[in-house]
Amino acid sequence: MKPYKQFFHEYNLTYRPYVNQLNQELAEFQLYSSQWRIMHFILHNGEKTLSDIASYQKVEKPTTTKMVQRLIELDYLQSISGADKRTKLIQLTEKGLERCDQIQAKISQFQQYLLEDIPEEEQVAAARLLNHISGKISDYRKG
């Protein structure tokens, strides 16, 4: 098998089991990985609009709206008015901030376990590689 084919084959074999296990880790917080990505995005980037979140997630706005609404129901997020009254910003609540700390600790333990036998330089190189591929996917769609 050609190296590029093997790379994507292994990625495909790894992705779903990783997400499934991550969802199990998040179940005690009543979250799925896609919802956690929203909270993580806001935690590290501050309040955002639904459009910002949808763009980051690379999903349609109605899908994002449903996920954000669920996070609001859980009292992890709240919607506030922006400078322009028509603009709604999404931010973490106090409960959401507390949960982020708990979730990050739980996910860190899981991810460290997965990578414990892999040297840090290889982890960094793999992250760089995936980031590069992500950018190429975006470029490919434009072309």
Side-chain angles (χ1 to χ4, degrees):
M1 185 182 293
K2 297 212 179 268
Y4 73 91
K5 288 184 180 267
Q6 184 177 1
F7 174 85
F8 286 105
H9 177 74
E10 294 298 332
Y11 174 81
N12 279 324
L13 288 176
T14 305
Y15 177 75
R16 179 52 61 194
Y18 172 76
V19 171
N20 287 342
Q21 185 61 47
L22 186 58
N23 286 336
Q24 286 182 26
E25 299 296 314
L26 294 168
E28 74 179 84
F29 305 103
Q30 299 178 294
L31 292 175
Y32 292 106
S33 60
S34 54
Q35 296 164 321
W36 166 242
R37 261 193 325 270
I38 292 171
M39 291 176 67
H40 187 268
F41 177 60
I42 293 171
L43 177 67
H44 292 282
N45 297 284
E47 56 196 28
K48 294 292 175 192
T49 65
L50 281 171
S51 294
D52 294 334
I53 297 167
S55 177
Y56 172 75
Q57 293 268 82
K58 295 177 178 57
V59 297
E60 299 297 319
K61 195 172 171 187
T63 303
T64 301
T65 300
K66 287 178 189 173
M67 286 190 280
V68 166
Q69 189 57 46
R70 177 65 181 138
L71 293 168
I72 289 171
E73 289 169 11
L74 291 168
D75 193 30
Y76 293 167
L77 297 180
Q78 63 186 356
S79 176
I80 59 170
S81 294
D84 174 354
K85 297 290 182 201
R86 295 172 296 179
T87 304
K88 296 285 184 195
L89 296 172
I90 308 300
Q91 68 179 21
L92 288 162
T93 62
E94 280 299 316
K95 181 178 178 181
L97 283 168
E98 289 173 17
R99 286 291 187 259
C100 282
D101 288 341
Q102 296 166 347
I103 293 165
Q104 284 183 322
K106 187 164 187 89
I107 291 174
S108 287
Q109 183 179 21
F110 170 54
Q111 291 171 337
Q112 286 173 3
Y113 168 78
L114 295 176
L115 298 175
E116 68 188 1
D117 302 337
I118 301 171
E120 204 170 283
E121 319 74 72
E122 290 184 36
Q123 293 176 38
V124 170
R128 226 180 5 253
L129 176 66
L130 290 171
N131 183 270
H132 177 78
I133 291 169
S134 180
K136 297 282 280 194
I137 292 169
S138 296
D139 291 347
Y140 187 79
R141 283 191 245 152
K142 293 175 188 172

